[in-house]
């Protein structure tokens, strides 16, 4: 049974509301010490550390940490027509939607000869993490690689854990997705050690350090990203996936049940939350879950997630209250299935991605909506955003002033630098204007 949180009769203050929202018990902070040891081991021992970690955590080290190009080509050739067509279509849609995320440059003219140019420069080199473990995620290859390519990144390294079932090699479907995108720098490595390898480089396998690391992973991967932040950039500390559904009695309970289940099957720590104005509707949704889970091979995993402290049914008085609750939670995925979806959407300000209406399930966004599925988790949507082309771009201001334009503001600069007791700042201007 999913826990219930009854907020009818008036919402509590925001601090209390944040405390009441369901969250997974294990978070990134619990993994930091272990991740630090693994990252430092790779930093100092390089390829030997990666080999030892693969033996310890992945059931065997790969024959080659860097995947041979021929192996990637063979994986592409081995795709079934159905899977290749699906991947090609996902790539096409994500590429089109990502292109809209590249900002245009601009020039602001403040006076005659005084210009500030805004330009967006791509990262030189990035490292993309594609998780393994409980499932294979070729879609994560697409979601990480395509926006980087659209942004203009020219050097991309992809890492994914070696798979016991494939003799210590990267899963062939991951390799195939990389091959379809023209990525030939792929490494069989996973976990916190792989993040350390991307950040610091591993000369023995010709892995050059990157400038940015992106991609989802478990708590140890997220902890490692926290540890290397500052050495490299990161997208976010991604944790377990989550979905919040805002629904009223007009929604289809079968749809809502199916969507809660779909995210719960990712991981035992995955969070599924229903916020509704109707207790009767909540009962119907919960009753619809067992029959849908019983036939799934992931039933045990998802039932653990649904019964856990990170999942809940939340009862509220109104859809306006539902939006307040959702904004406090800051869901990775938000679905809205109500009598007036647009009115609810207007009140939403914190969500990784929003799926509006009965025909827009989160599963669509996971694969083929064109949106990106690498999204902020654990409430980070309140201050962060999902992966996009802009993640791989750095805004830069280029300033161009003529001598006459500098002369116009020279006195102001001297006045301000004098007030701040930085006389050399003013002198750097008068050196020019007094000639």
């Amino acid at each position: 049974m999913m826990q219930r949180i009854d907020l009818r009769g008036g919402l509590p203050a925001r601090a209390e509301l944040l405390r009441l929202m369901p969250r997974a018990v294990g978070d990134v902070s619990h993994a930091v010490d272990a991740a630090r040891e693994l990252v430092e081991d790779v930093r100092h021992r390089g390829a030997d550390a990666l080999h030892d970690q693969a033996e310890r955590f992945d059931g065997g080290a790969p024959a080659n940490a860097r995947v041979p190009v021929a192996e990637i080509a063979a994986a592409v050739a081995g795709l079934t027509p159905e899977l290749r067509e699906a991947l090609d279509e996902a790539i096409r849609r994500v590429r089109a939607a990502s292109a809209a995320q590249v900002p245009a440059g601009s020039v602001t003219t403040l006076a005659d000869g005084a210009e500030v140019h805004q330009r967006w420069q791509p990262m030189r080199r990035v490292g993309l993490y594609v998780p393994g473990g409980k499932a294979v995620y070729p879609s994560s290859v697409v979601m990480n690689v395509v926006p980087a390519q659209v942004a203009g990144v020219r050097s991309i390294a992809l890492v994914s854990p070696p798979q016991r079932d494939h003799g210590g090699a990267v899963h062939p479907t991951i390799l195939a997705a990389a091959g379809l995108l023209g990525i030939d720098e792929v490494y069989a490595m996973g976990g916190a050690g792989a993040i350390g390898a991307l950040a610091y480089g591993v000369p023995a396998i010709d892995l050059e350090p990157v400038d940015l690391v992106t991609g989802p992973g478990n708590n140890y991967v997220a902890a490692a990203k926290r540890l290397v932040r500052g050495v490299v950039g990161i997208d976010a500390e991604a944790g377990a996936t989550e979905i919040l559904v805002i629904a009223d009695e007009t929604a289809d309970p079968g749809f809502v049940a199916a969507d809660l289940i779909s995210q719960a099957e990712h991981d035992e720590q995955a969070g599924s939350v229903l916020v509704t104005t109707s207790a009767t509707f909540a009962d119907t949704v919960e009753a619809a879950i067992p029959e849908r889970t019983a036939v799934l091979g992931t039933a045990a995993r998802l039932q653990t997630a649904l019964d856990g402290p990170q999942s809940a049914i939340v009862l509220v008085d109104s859809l306006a209250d539902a939006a307040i609750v959702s904004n406090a939670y800051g869901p990775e995925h938000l679905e809205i299935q109500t009598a007036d979806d647009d009115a609810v959407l207007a009140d939403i300000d914190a969500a990784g991605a929003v799926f509006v209406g009965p025909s827009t399930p989160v599963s669509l966004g996971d694969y083929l909506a064109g949106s990106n599925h690498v999204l902020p988790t654990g409430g980070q949507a309140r201050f962060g955003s999902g992966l996009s082309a802009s993640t791989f771009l750095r805004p830069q201001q280029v300033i161009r002033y003529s001598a006459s334009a500098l002369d116009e503001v020279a006195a102001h600069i001297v006045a301000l630098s004098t007030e701040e007791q930085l006389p050399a700042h003013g002198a750097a201007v008068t050196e020019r204007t007094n000639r």
Side-chain angles (χ1 to χ4, degrees):
M1 296 287 291
M2 296 176 69
Q3 66 169 314
R4 293 213 180 186
I5 302 172
D6 195 340
L7 299 180
R8 292 173 295 183
L11 297 181
R14 184 172 175 81
E16 177 65 8
L17 184 56
L18 288 170
R19 187 188 69 79
L20 290 172
M21 295 314 299
R23 293 291 184 199
V25 174
D27 61 19
V28 173
S29 61
H30 293 86
V32 167
D33 288 342
R36 180 179 288 109
E37 179 182 335
L38 297 170
V39 168
E40 288 300 312
D41 192 25
V42 170
R43 181 181 183 184
H44 295 294
R45 294 202 303 125
D48 289 339
L50 290 170
H51 180 278
D52 292 347
Q53 290 177 24
E55 292 282 359
R56 178 180 172 189
F57 299 114
D58 300 313
N64 298 292
R66 179 161 180 173
V67 179
V69 173
E71 193 172 325
I72 298 173
V76 173
L79 283 172
T80 64
E82 296 80 10
L83 184 53
R84 174 155 189 167
E85 184 178 353
L87 283 169
D88 283 340
E89 183 63 12
I91 291 167
R92 184 188 72 80
R93 290 176 178 240
V94 174
R95 195 177 297 282
S98 297
Q101 298 166 340
V102 178
S106 64
V107 179
T108 303
T109 302
L110 299 163
D112 186 26
E115 295 179 348
V116 176
H117 299 244
Q118 181 70 58
R119 70 176 186 173
W120 300 83
Q121 292 293 99
M123 302 281 182
R124 180 191 62 88
R125 174 169 166 80
V126 302
L128 313 179
Y129 188 91
V130 178
K134 294 182 174 67
V136 55
Y137 296 106
S139 58
S140 285
V141 179
V142 176
M143 300 295 175
N144 278 273
V145 171
V146 170
Q149 291 178 331
V150 168
V153 177
R154 294 187 178 182
S155 180
I156 298 175
L158 189 148
V159 301
S160 190
Q163 302 291 308
R164 179 183 291 107
D165 293 343
H166 294 278
V170 172
H171 195 288
T173 310
I174 299 296
L175 295 180
L180 288 175
L181 288 160
I183 302 300
D184 60 9
E185 187 180 352
V186 182
Y187 299 88
M189 60 179 72
I195 302 302
L198 290 172
Y200 295 107
V202 183
I205 57 173
D206 296 324
L207 174 54
E208 179 188 350
V210 302
D211 301 313
L212 176 74
V213 176
T214 75
N218 61 22
N219 281 343
Y220 295 97
V221 170
K225 289 167 79 174
R226 174 183 294 183
L227 293 168
V228 301
R229 176 186 284 177
V231 177
V232 295
I234 67 169
D235 53 344
E237 296 176 11
T241 190
E242 63 206 19
I243 181 176
L244 186 147
V245 181
I246 295 177
D248 60 16
E249 66 282 352
T250 67
D252 186 311
F255 290 177
V256 173
D259 295 347
L260 295 173
I261 291 168
S262 71
Q263 290 306 297
E265 76 174 345
H266 273 285
D267 186 88
E268 287 86 353
Q269 287 192 322
S272 294
V273 180
L274 168 62
V275 182
T276 182
T277 53
S278 170
T280 301
F281 179 79
D283 292 340
T284 306
V285 169
E286 192 161 29
I289 289 176
E291 64 188 78
R292 287 167 172 77
T293 61
V295 298
L296 300 173
T298 53
R301 182 196 311 160
L302 65 86
Q303 196 59 57
T304 298
L306 291 170
D307 292 342
Q310 71 274 20
S311 298
I313 294 174
V314 182
L315 300 174
V316 294
D317 288 323
S318 67
L319 291 176
D321 282 355
I324 293 172
V325 169
S326 179
N327 288 333
Y329 182 77
E332 177 189 16
H333 307 97
L334 168 62
E335 287 188 1
I336 302 174
Q337 299 183 41
T338 67
D340 194 345
D341 295 336
D342 287 336
V344 176
L345 179 62
D347 289 335
I348 297 299
D349 58 46
V354 186
F355 300 80
V356 181
S359 298
T360 318
V362 165
S363 298
L364 176 66
D366 283 341
Y367 299 112
L368 278 161
S371 57
N372 202 293
H373 78 198
V374 182
L375 301 166
T377 60
Q380 294 181 80
R382 291 183 288 113
F383 50 82
S385 57
L387 197 69
S388 69
S390 60
T391 304
F392 301 94
L393 294 167
R394 296 159 296 172
Q396 293 178 341
Q397 292 182 318
V398 179
I399 300 92
R400 294 180 184 273
Y401 268 57
S402 66
S404 60
L406 177 63
D407 189 57
E408 283 185 24
V409 296
H412 298 319
I413 295 171
V414 171
L416 289 167
S417 66
T418 300
E419 178 63 24
E420 294 185 355
Q421 299 181 39
L422 297 170
H425 283 60
V429 172
T430 57
E431 177 78 18
R432 292 166 167 80
T433 58
N434 288 341
R435 289 190 177 186

